[in-house]
Amino acid sequence: MSPYFILLFSILVTQRLGELVLAKRNTKWIQEQGGVEVGQSHYKYIVMIHVGFLLSLLGEVLWGEAQAPTWFGVPFLLFSIIQIARYWCIYSLGTFWNTRIFILPEHSPIKKGPYRWVKHPNYLIVMVELLVFPLIFGAYYSAVIWSVVNFAFLTLVRIPVEERALQGEFLNTVD
């Protein structure tokens, strides 16, 4: 196993934990503004997908036969670019960024940064991330399986709930 894997995997886990701390702080702020969470019933599946991805990747690299391909630089470059885009999303949404879905009455969706051109750029970033990060280390099973699972969940569950929330469908109810 490569020390680069341990380093990058540790950075990825630390990044995710930091994002959870930021999301919790933003949750407190948005609730103080009158924001209401929707989609709570499916949030546990998002957590399960991300934890499953990390454990699968760890297992495939530590105990599987995954070895970094000679072309590892390509997915590493894509992953690095995607990280810049990830933080652009977080910066653009500011205190509205979260891992959960909140409705804040009287507020319109933010249309700055990458949100000017793409409706759900952070979800696109996560899709690319779950594909390219494992490819850096030759963890092809983790790349394919979790990319498909995440894509299916986002397109069938998460994005439709968020779309309905953005259209104000949940203003008088909570999911």
Side-chain angles (χ1 to χ4, degrees), residues 13 24 27 68 166 175:
V13 170
K24 188 170 186 165
T27 293
L166 290 171
D175 177 45

Side-chain angles (χ1 to χ4, degrees), residues 5 20 28 48 51 55 59 64 70 75 87 97 103 105 111-112 115 119 123-124 129 131 139 152 167 171 173-175:
F5 173 74
L20 289 174
K28 184 178 180 204
M48 289 168 50
V51 170
L55 293 174
T70 56
Y87 288 107
W97 181 87
I103 301 169
K111 297 283 187 186
K112 65 180 185 178
Y115 294 89
K119 199 159 194 175
Y123 296 145
L124 179 60
E129 207 173 46
L131 178 65
Q167 293 168 7
L171 284 177
T173 63
V174 178
D175 177 45

Side-chain angles (χ1 to χ4, degrees), residues 7-164:
L7 175 64
L8 288 176
F9 186 82
S10 298
I11 289 170
L12 185 65
V13 170
T14 302
Q15 178 187 47
R16 291 300 182 273
L17 293 173
E19 289 170 6
L20 289 174
V21 169
L22 176 61
K24 188 170 186 165
R25 186 174 70 212
N26 289 349
T27 293
K28 184 178 180 204
W29 176 83
I30 203 163
Q31 287 174 329
E32 288 171 351
Q33 307 307 307
V36 177
E37 183 179 0
V38 298
Q40 306 96 310
S41 61
H42 75 255
Y43 185 72
K44 62 184 168 268
Y45 300 114
I46 292 174
V47 173
M48 289 168 50
I49 289 169
H50 285 267
V51 170
F53 165 74
L54 291 169
L55 293 174
S56 171
L57 178 61
L58 190 61
E60 190 172 355
V61 173
L62 290 179
W63 300 292
E65 297 180 17
Q67 292 184 19
T70 56
W71 47 273
F72 74 91
V74 174
F76 179 75
L77 179 62
L78 286 171
F79 179 74
S80 300
I81 291 168
I82 269 325
Q83 295 316 296
I84 294 166
R86 166 187 291 291
Y87 288 107
W88 188 23
C89 288
I90 291 171
Y91 177 78
S92 296
L93 291 180
T95 53
F96 291 96
W97 181 87
N98 213 302
T99 57
R100 298 176 177 269
I101 301 171
F102 282 93
I103 301 169
L104 188 56
E106 311 293 323
H107 284 268
S108 299
I110 293 182
K111 297 283 187 186
K112 65 180 185 178
Y115 294 89
R116 283 182 286 196
W117 304 289
V118 179
K119 199 159 194 175
H120 301 284
N122 197 62
Y123 296 145
L124 179 60
I125 288 164
V126 171
M127 285 187 231
V128 172
E129 207 173 46
L130 293 186
L131 178 65
V132 301
F133 190 79
L135 294 179
I136 297 169
F137 308 101
Y140 303 112
Y141 293 113
S142 295
V144 172
I145 291 167
W146 293 104
S147 291
V148 169
V149 167
N150 183 62
F151 177 79
F153 185 79
L154 287 176
T155 56
L156 297 174
V157 179
R158 178 67 171 205
I159 291 173
V161 170
E162 189 162 321
E163 281 298 308
R164 289 175 27 222

